[in-house]
């Protein structure tokens, strides 16, 4: 007996309890005694049935992912499952909390599963760039059918106990004492008598999806995978479960797992998993947090409306404030429409929609924000307007209220200075659409109190956001790096590339879309207005805007769009415009390859990230990766720009940056000292 696994006998039913806090991961020090206990119980006449249960808040919530990529210490999970499958007496998994990954696979090794009403069951390995490597792909289809299994394995999304019962994954759902119910169930099975068929030998549901339908489902998933290997390997493994004998399918699952676990994509996705956890570790985390029960939002435009929805979705009441009734009504109508779309899509019930709308209050009077614990400003991006708003807030907000700005670029220190309480002021930079996008940049101003930072980081988690703390600079982490990524876009066009060619290089890399498509989607007029305000120009984009071509909303931009469609069509007029401008500027056009496009867009992106680290604007290189993956669509299979720099070769990046710096003299190409050091020692180091 070990401290991680104990055995008790309850009226002839052996209860094996795993106790490995915090989530009962299947570490070596659990597997070994578990294997030994099951071996002993297999032949123990005093045990008529076996229940596997867990202490603490959850069933086994997965493998021990710190062991991934290292040599496996025996017995591995597969050996435990194989052992379970040789046991003739009934075996029952008693599931509470979450049975995920290796945890669910362990449960699939049992004859039966009894789940607590609140339990969740799933195989989320795909989110780490893997497939379930403990027999999940061959066991699950035998219980729930191939189509359902494929959906669960490729999405990685867990299902509820009731859904598991309906699908055939759980045999019973317990509303009361789970362990008592599991023991009762096990005893009943033992009384009823065998033989008890292990899941591996239950083949009756495998034929319920024909191979053609399965192939169509898998092809659709492959398309959505956008270059990720894991979802495709998952589909292959589930298909094998249908077409190959059990042991062969199991062996191929192992090979596929090994290939993925040692591959770059899974390394990148595991990096991101840890990066998100790290990002949550912020200075002041353990300080007493302020209570946030009521949130005020100023401005009910694109961002204000989305931010308000994000809080309402998290169950917090919000008061929306606008300059006049008309603007307020416009904002509320958009919010209602957005919820209605979710109801029509089936992702939200009418009842929940009503509840959420019930959390909104609307006002044009600042006095109505006096009770708010947190007030977020999302008005026009104009320093004078922001200062005026913060001046008013200073007068009405209760003492201790947190005052946040959603500014994209402006100096949060200057905004804080327009109040008498800069310690309560910080930036909360949401991304559009704010009710959907996961990222939140929390901007720490010079005087922001540590507990204010910690309170907002906590709150971000409450509303399902991935928060990263950043410092004050123009555009913070994300938008500042985005500017560096796009600085050469027009030069590339003038020198010979086309918008579609640049965008294709991006989508081939794994981005959901390229910079020109993104510009058309966001609206070219936004950048144009910003440039004019800052006395800047962009030769081609300015010309498009002068002609009224703002992108998708006007049907023309970098591309043409057929009425109402979002599919970009290359526009010969735009290409002619680019050629004419190049001729006018005396720029000789030439063929530009994908390598050069990457060197002139993504290398400056990494370089700017290195400068951001150097300046302490981001605390860690991995925080920058979290920003780029969650806010800007950097492909997860490449782990974010800073992680990708390691794959690409920092030495090569420095060398090519130097080359472009010499040719153009542009600061974006001047290699940051931190990048040079990364090239030397292979680890990111903030100064
Ligand atoms: P928007 O023009 O859609 O909305 C701004 C709203 O603020 C308008 O409804 C306006 O009536 C209201 N407003 C203006 N002055 C006000 C005042 N004094 N009091 C109350 N309401 C006032 O703009 P947006 O896109 O929602 O941007 C808002 C802020 O969010 C800006 O700082 C912007 O930089 C930032 N931001 C925008 C995005 C984006 O993608 N749009 C992303 C992140 C951050």
């Amino acid at each position: 007996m070990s401290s991680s696994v104990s055995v008790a006998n309850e009226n002839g039913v052996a209860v094996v309890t795993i106790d490995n806090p915090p989530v009962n991961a299947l570490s070596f020090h659990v597997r070994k005694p578990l294997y030994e206990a099951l071996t002993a119980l297999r032949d123990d006449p005093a045990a008529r049935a076996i229940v596997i249960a867990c202490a603490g808040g959850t069933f086994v919530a997965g493998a021990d992912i710190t062991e991934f990529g290292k040599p496996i210490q025996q017995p591995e999970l597969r050996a435990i499952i194989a052992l379970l499958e040789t046991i003739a007496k009934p075996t029952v998994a008693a599931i509470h909390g979450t049975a995920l990954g290796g945890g669910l696979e362990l449960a699939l090794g049992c004859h039966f599963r009894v789940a607590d009403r609140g339990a969740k069951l799933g195989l989320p390995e795909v989110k780490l760039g893997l497939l379930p490597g403990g027999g999940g792909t061959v066991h699950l289809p035998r219980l729930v059918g191939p189509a359902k299994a494929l959906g669960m394995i490729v999405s990685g999304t867990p299902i509820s106990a009731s859904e598991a019962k309906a699908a055939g994954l759980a045999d019973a759902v317990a509303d009361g004492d789970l362990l008592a119910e599991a023991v009762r169930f096990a005893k009943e099975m033992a009384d009823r008598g065998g033989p008890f068929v292990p899941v591996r030998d239950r083949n009756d549901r495998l034929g319920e999806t024909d191979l053609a339908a399965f192939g169509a489902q898998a092809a659709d998933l492959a398309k959505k995978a956008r270059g990720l290997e894991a979802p495709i390997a998952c589909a292959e493994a589930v298909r094998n479960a249908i077409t190959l004998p059990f042991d062969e399918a199991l062996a191929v699952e192992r090979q596929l797992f090994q290939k993925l676990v040692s591959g770059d994509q899974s390394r990148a996705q595991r990096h991101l998993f840890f990066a998100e956890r790290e990002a949550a570790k912020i200075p002041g985390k353990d300080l007493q947090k302020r209570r946030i029960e009521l949130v005020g939002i100023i401005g009910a435009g694109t961002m204000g409306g989305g931010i308000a929805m994000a809080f309402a979705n998290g169950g917090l009441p919000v008061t929306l404030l606008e300059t006049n009734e008309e603007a307020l009504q416009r904002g509320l109508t958009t919010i209602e429409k957005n919820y209605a779309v979710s109801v029509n899509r089936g992702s939200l019930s009418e009842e929940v929609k009503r509840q959420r709308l019930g959390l909104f209050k609307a006002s044009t009077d600042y006095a109505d924000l006096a009770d708010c614990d947190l007030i977020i400003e999302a008005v026009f991006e104009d320093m004078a307007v922001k200062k005026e708003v913060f001046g008013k807030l200073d007068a009405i907000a209760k003492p201790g209220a947190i005052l946040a700005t959603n500014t994209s670029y402006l100096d949060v220190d200057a905004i804080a200075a327009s109040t008498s309480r800069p310690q309560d002021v910080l930036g909360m930079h949401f991304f559009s659409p704010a009710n959907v996008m996961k990222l939140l940049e929390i901007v720490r101003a010079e005087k922001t109190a540590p507990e204010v930072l910690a309170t907002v980081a906590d709150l971000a988690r409450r509303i399902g956001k991935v928060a990263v703390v950043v410092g004050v600079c123009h555009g913070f982490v994300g938008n500042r790096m985005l500017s560096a990524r796009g600085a050469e876009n027009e030069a590339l066009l003038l020198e010979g590339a086309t918008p579609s060619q640049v965008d294709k290089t991006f989508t081939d890399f794994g981005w959901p879309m390229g910079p020109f498509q993104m510009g058309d989607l966001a609206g070219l007029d936004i950048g144009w207005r910003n440039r004019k305000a800052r006395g800047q120009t962009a030769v081609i984009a300015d010309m498009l805007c002068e002609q009224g071509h703002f992108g998708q909303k006007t049907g023309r931009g970098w591309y043409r769009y057929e009425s109402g469609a979002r599919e970009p069509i290359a526009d010969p007029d735009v290409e002619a415009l680019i050629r004419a401008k190049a001729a006018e500027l005396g720029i000789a056009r030439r063929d530009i390859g994908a390598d050069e496009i990457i060197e002139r867009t993504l290398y400056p992106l990494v370089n700017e990230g290195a400068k951001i680290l150097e300046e302490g604007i981001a605390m860690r290189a991995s925080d920058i990766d979290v920003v780029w993956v969650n806010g800007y669509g950097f492909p997860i299979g490449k782990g974010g720009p800073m992680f990708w720099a390691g794959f690409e070769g920092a030495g090569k990046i420095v060398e090519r940056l130097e080359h472009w710096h010499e040719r153009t003299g542009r600061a974006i190409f001047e290699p940051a000292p931190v990048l040079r050091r990364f090239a030397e020692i292979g680890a990111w180091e903030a100064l």
Side-chain angles (χ1 to χ4, degrees), residues 297-305 307 321-324 327-328 330-331 366 377-382 385-386 388-389 392 405-410 428-433 479 522 526 529-530:
I297 315 268
I298 306 182
T302 311
M303 292 308 291
I307 296 168
L321 185 113
E322 260 291 350
T323 42
N324 57 61
L328 200 52
R330 206 172 27 228
Y366 273 79
E377 161 282 307
V379 305
F380 301 135
E381 185 77 344
D382 178 313
V385 181
K386 305 257 188 213
E388 190 198 321
V389 167
K392 285 187 188 157
T405 170
N406 181 49
T407 180
S408 306
Y409 294 96
L410 300 175
M428 286 177 75
H429 184 215
F430 288 85
F431 289 71
S432 181
N479 282 343
I526 297 176
R529 221 181 309 126
N530 283 342

Side-chain angles (χ1 to χ4, degrees), residues 332-373:
L332 288 171
T333 306
T334 306
I335 290 170
E336 280 181 34
K337 267 198 204 140
N338 286 340
Y339 280 130
V341 168
S342 304
V343 171
N344 288 340
R345 245 197 245 126
S347 56
L348 195 73
S349 69
E350 191 60 51
E351 166 66 16
V352 175
K353 173 188 149 191
R354 240 193 331 273
Q355 276 169 10
R356 293 197 181 157
L357 286 173
L359 291 168
F360 286 87
K361 269 212 276 189
S363 171
T364 53
D365 182 359
Y366 273 79
D368 287 334
L369 299 179
D371 291 339
C372 291
D373 306 302

Side-chain angles (χ1 to χ4, degrees), residues 222-345:
K223 214 165 89 196
K224 289 192 190 125
R226 242 191 344 241
L228 288 179
E229 294 153 7
I232 298 179
C234 289
E236 188 185 332
V238 176
R239 187 190 165 89
N240 291 343
I242 316 173
T243 57
L244 299 180
F246 182 89
D247 286 321
E248 256 177 69
L250 189 67
V252 180
E253 181 199 82
R254 166 55 25 136
Q255 288 161 13
L256 290 169
F257 179 85
Q258 293 297 12
K259 190 159 165 252
L260 291 175
V261 82
S262 55
D264 287 347
Q265 288 190 355
S266 175
R267 266 183 59 207
Q269 286 181 258
R270 275 157 22 222
H271 157 76
L272 287 168
F273 177 85
F274 288 115
E276 281 188 19
R277 281 201 194 171
E278 275 299 300
K281 295 182 187 155
I282 60 161
K285 185 174 159 279
D286 300 323
L287 293 172
Q288 178 75 32
K289 318 284 186 305
R290 297 189 190 174
R291 263 169 70 95
I292 307 287
E293 301 299 337
L294 197 58
V295 179
I297 315 268
I298 306 182
T302 311
M303 292 308 291
I307 296 168
M309 286 177 74
F311 281 102
N313 297 351
L316 281 133
V318 279
T319 303
L320 261 178
L321 185 113
E322 260 291 350
T323 42
N324 57 61
E325 284 298 335
E326 197 193 328
L328 200 52
Q329 205 43 55
R330 206 172 27 228
L332 288 171
T333 306
T334 306
I335 290 170
E336 280 181 34
K337 267 198 204 140
N338 286 340
Y339 280 130
V341 168
S342 304
V343 171
N344 288 340
R345 245 197 245 126

Side-chain angles (χ1 to χ4, degrees), residues 511-639:
W511 297 87
M513 65 179 78
F516 295 107
Q517 245 183 296
M518 185 173 137
D520 275 1
L521 179 68
L524 302 181
D525 50 323
I526 297 176
W528 188 38
R529 221 181 309 126
N530 283 342
R531 284 193 296 278
K532 282 199 283 196
R534 306 183 70 195
Q536 294 171 345
T537 55
V539 283
I540 306 165
D542 286 356
M543 278 198 298
L544 291 176
C545 289
E546 278 153 20
Q547 294 171 5
H549 298 166
F550 295 160
Q552 282 192 19
K553 60 180 146 188
T554 58
R556 290 185 77 174
W558 291 108
Y559 298 92
R560 272 175 199 273
Y561 300 86
E562 310 232 300
S563 72
R566 287 168 172 267
E567 200 53 42
I569 302 165
D571 187 342
D573 291 351
V574 172
E575 286 164 26
L577 190 87
I578 295 166
R579 276 195 301 275
K581 197 71 200 173
E584 186 191 318
L585 295 170
I587 298 169
R589 285 169 60 82
R590 60 188 167 83
D591 279 345
I592 293 190
D595 283 353
E596 180 175 337
I597 292 171
I598 286 180
E599 286 175 13
R600 294 173 70 179
T601 54
L602 302 192
Y603 289 7
L605 178 77
V606 170
N607 197 33
E608 199 65 31
K611 290 176 189 169
I612 278 170
L613 270 184
E614 205 158 281
E615 293 165 26
I617 298 294
M619 282 189 283
R620 324 164 177 93
S622 61
D623 283 1
I624 298 177
D625 290 334
V626 173
V627 166
W628 272 81
V629 165
N630 289 289
Y632 298 83
F634 195 99
I636 52 173
K638 292 193 164 70

Side-chain angles (χ1 to χ4, degrees), residues 193-224:
F196 300 102
V197 184
V199 175
R200 57 168 288 146
D201 294 330
R202 298 184 210 167
N203 296 331
D204 48 313
R205 291 200 69 172
L206 290 180
E208 70 185 36
T209 310
D210 73 52
L211 276 181
F214 185 85
Q217 191 187 355
D220 187 42
L221 292 168
K223 214 165 89 196
K224 289 192 190 125

